Amino acid sequence: MSRPATLLTSALLTRGLTTALRHRAPGGRDRWERKNHAGRTVDLYAGPASAVATALAAARVHPAAGLAVLAAGACGAYDDIAGADDPRRGFRAHLGALGTGEVTSGAVKLFGISAAALAAGSVLKERPLDRLLAGVVIAGAAHTANLLDVRPGRAAAAVLALAAPGLARGGAGGELAAVAVGGAGAVLPEDLGERAMLGDVGAHALGAVLGTAVVVANGRVGLLVHAGVVVVAAVGGDRVSGWARAL
């Protein structure tokens, strides 16, 4: 399948699943509504729709990529539900709680996404160091996208902008970039218009598919550079989120 066809498939799947969820609203519409930062009521359908759609589209390119995206979305969904009333954010807060014997939903998400990313990296790359770096890039990209999801459209726009140059690449890297562009582009209008919210499930999944595209398209040097970027973003998580809020 060509990159334009992959992009279109990802976008149409995302829009179709969003429409289907909105029509059925499993568990009742109240379960799918939240107040955003401005107090406006937004729905959550786009998050799981984009996660499932991009996981399916990514799996067609490489099963390991689909697994990483689906796991990132599932872990994000768990945190969205189990950690809805938990004010703690960031690695330090959740690892600190773990040090006292409390396993937070954020810690479950952190270790779950990391394990899935390392598993995917072990399949997508051949050498041990490259596998480790691949896991860091995929998990870090998922986390970074979530750090940006603090205002409407920030996470989706970032994934779209960062994945778009990858469309010029050939092979699986270009196709996975097309998956990311299609999914992010499909949710961006409603997200930016404050009608929908990605939540952890959508932000983590879109970040993960971007990460898989980077991993497949890069060798050792590229992996090192991208791993460094996502580690810096994780360490400065509050600043990254603050920058996203200020835009």
Side-chain angles (χ1 to χ4, degrees):
M1 190 181 293
S2 66
R3 278 161 291 174
T6 299
L7 190 157
L8 187 61
T9 298
S10 179
L12 290 178
L13 273 174
T14 300
R15 289 306 310 155
L17 288 174
T18 301
T19 300
L21 281 173
R22 185 172 284 133
H23 177 70
R24 292 183 176 274
R29 298 196 180 279
D30 289 347
R31 179 171 292 182
W32 293 88
E33 293 182 346
R34 294 287 189 278
K35 296 289 185 181
N36 70 1
H37 74 286
R40 297 184 179 91
T41 300
V42 296
D43 66 49
L44 303 175
Y45 306 111
S50 61
V52 173
T54 54
L56 289 172
R60 194 209 59 79
V61 179
H62 198 298
L67 169 66
V69 176
L70 186 62
C75 290
Y78 173 75
D79 193 34
D80 274 339
I81 296 169
D85 298 322
D86 190 345
R88 290 170 292 192
R89 294 291 182 269
F91 288 157
R92 292 177 184 175
H94 293 295
L95 292 177
L98 193 62
T100 66
E102 180 186 2
V103 181
T104 66
S105 61
V108 172
K109 178 181 69 173
L110 169 63
F111 290 112
I113 292 176
S114 298
L118 287 169
S122 70
V123 176
L124 294 172
K125 293 297 182 182
E126 295 181 356
R127 297 178 179 179
L129 179 56
D130 292 343
R131 290 173 171 176
L132 175 62
L133 291 171
V136 171
V137 170
I138 295 170
H143 178 63
T144 301
N146 195 49
L147 288 174
L148 296 172
D149 191 36
V150 290
R151 289 294 184 270
R154 304 301 193 271
V159 170
L160 184 61
L162 293 171
L167 295 174
R169 291 182 177 271
E175 284 202 62
L176 287 168
V179 173
V181 169
V187 300
L188 183 58
E190 287 192 339
D191 187 13
L192 197 58
E194 298 188 56
R195 298 186 297 277
M197 179 185 290
L198 284 178
D200 283 8
V201 54
H204 280 304
L206 289 176
V209 73
L210 173 62
T212 62
V214 169
V215 164
V216 171
N218 282 272
R220 174 75 55 83
V221 174
L223 290 174
L224 280 167
V225 171
H226 286 90
V229 170
V230 296
V231 168
V232 169
V235 172
D238 290 340
R239 291 185 180 182
V240 173
S241 294
W243 172 76
R245 290 187 184 94
L247 285 177

